[in-house]
Amino acid sequence: MNEFKLSKRLACVAGIINPGGVLADIGTDHGYLPVHVAKNNIASKVIAMDVRKKPLEKAAENIKLYGVSQKVELRLSDGLYKLAENEADTITICGMGGKLIQSILENGSSKISENTQLILSPQSEIRKYLSESGYETVKEYMISEDGQFYVIIDCRRNGYKNELICTGETEKEVYYRYGEELLKEKNKSLREYLLRELRISQGVRNKLENINNDKIAGRLKELDFDLECIKY
């Protein structure tokens, strides 16, 4: 049997799961997180869910290969649709765009209580939605792996609009884009990410600044704001 090794991102997710409960992994793909969680007895049961049949078939192979069939249940499900209310203590949703995660949370809101640990690893910004939709962030993490940057958000539903305490709109936008906690703790991976974004945005601006038309002018305005946020 090949040695099972989890990616750095999913290892971070696994490391913050509250132990001993039931985990629902949404968009499980090939089931790597459920296999790891089951093998290491992090959860008493894992429900691995995906909207696509092919990945679930591969997940079934991995679950059998690593001998965790008794602990992991597979479900073909669009988001949280096939999850019962109060069935999972922890819900993980990783590797999807912010808009898709937002849709999953909205359509499956009845499955998420104030006691549910919700761990998200979005591919695009979701902090503003969480803040305005009754989700409070407990802790944020950011890691880099193979040239990519990943954010992991551990949050809970409290039902209140969680306003950011900021001095202005630029600061609020900066916190939504990059994470207030990550900025204040001077997260190393975030610093690397911001330096990369600075190089990219400045390079694009340099190429466009001598072109004179309305569309380019609008794009330059967007880039200037991006650069202001990055340098804030």
Side-chain angles (χ1 to χ4, degrees):
M1 182 188 299
N2 294 330
E3 182 182 354
F4 184 81
K5 186 176 181 181
L6 210 58
S7 70
K8 189 176 177 181
R9 174 174 64 102
L10 291 182
C12 180
V13 171
I16 60 177
I17 293 171
N18 290 335
V22 176
L23 167 68
D25 184 39
I26 313 304
T28 196
D29 198 37
H30 292 173
Y32 298 132
L33 181 63
V35 167
H36 176 86
V37 168
K39 275 174 62 67
N40 291 278
N41 298 311
I42 296 171
S44 59
K45 177 183 177 181
V46 183
I47 305 166
M49 307 170 74
D50 206 290
V51 71
R52 301 164 297 166
K53 290 183 179 180
K54 288 292 184 182
L56 278 183
E57 291 173 358
K58 184 62 179 177
E61 293 177 11
N62 288 329
I63 289 163
K64 182 178 180 180
L65 177 65
Y66 291 99
V68 292
S69 298
Q70 292 185 337
K71 280 194 169 185
V72 183
E73 177 185 344
L74 294 171
R75 294 182 191 174
L76 184 67
S77 174
D78 186 356
L80 298 167
Y81 181 70
K82 293 287 183 67
L83 187 71
E85 292 184 23
N86 300 313
E87 186 176 15
D89 300 290
T90 299
I91 295 173
T92 52
I93 311 176
C94 304
M96 302 182 196
K99 291 293 186 183
L100 180 54
I101 293 178
Q102 176 180 330
S103 176
I104 289 172
L105 296 180
E106 289 179 347
N107 293 332
S109 61
S110 64
K111 318 297 175 68
I112 306 168
S113 75
E114 62 182 13
N115 296 316
T116 307
Q117 180 186 29
L118 187 64
I119 303 175
L120 311 175
S121 184
Q123 293 177 331
S124 54
E125 201 280 304
I126 198 173
R127 295 183 186 92
K128 184 176 183 179
Y129 167 78
L130 293 175
S131 177
E132 295 179 347
S133 302
Y135 292 91
E136 182 178 10
T137 296
V138 176
K139 178 72 175 174
E140 275 199 47
Y141 307 81
M142 189 173 190
I143 60 171
S144 57
E145 183 175 24
D146 299 329
Q148 300 296 317
F149 294 89
Y150 302 99
V151 170
I152 296 105
I153 304 172
D154 182 4
C155 58
R156 304 291 185 279
R157 186 177 187 179
N158 63 12
Y160 299 100
K161 184 172 181 179
N162 299 286
E163 291 282 0
L164 290 173
I165 301 175
C166 302
T167 58
E169 289 304 312
T170 299
E171 185 178 30
K172 182 180 289 188
E173 180 65 23
V174 169
Y175 284 173
Y176 281 143
R177 288 190 184 195
Y178 309 124
E180 180 179 5
E181 184 179 355
L182 296 176
L183 287 163
K184 288 182 176 179
E185 73 177 27
K186 301 185 185 300
N187 181 274
K188 181 180 177 181
S189 293
L190 177 59
R191 176 176 171 78
E192 293 173 0
Y193 173 77
L194 290 174
L195 288 173
R196 187 188 73 173
E197 291 300 293
L198 178 63
R199 289 193 300 271
I200 292 172
S201 295
Q202 190 63 64
V204 173
R205 198 197 187 289
N206 291 342
K207 290 179 181 179
L208 297 179
E209 63 182 350
N210 293 321
I211 302 175
N212 188 17
N213 66 57
D214 292 340
K215 183 180 289 188
I216 296 300
R219 179 61 180 133
L220 286 173
K221 188 175 180 180
E222 291 174 358
L223 285 166
D224 285 338
F225 185 65
D226 290 343
L227 289 166
E228 180 183 356
C229 289
I230 293 168
K231 295 174 181 178
Y232 190 83

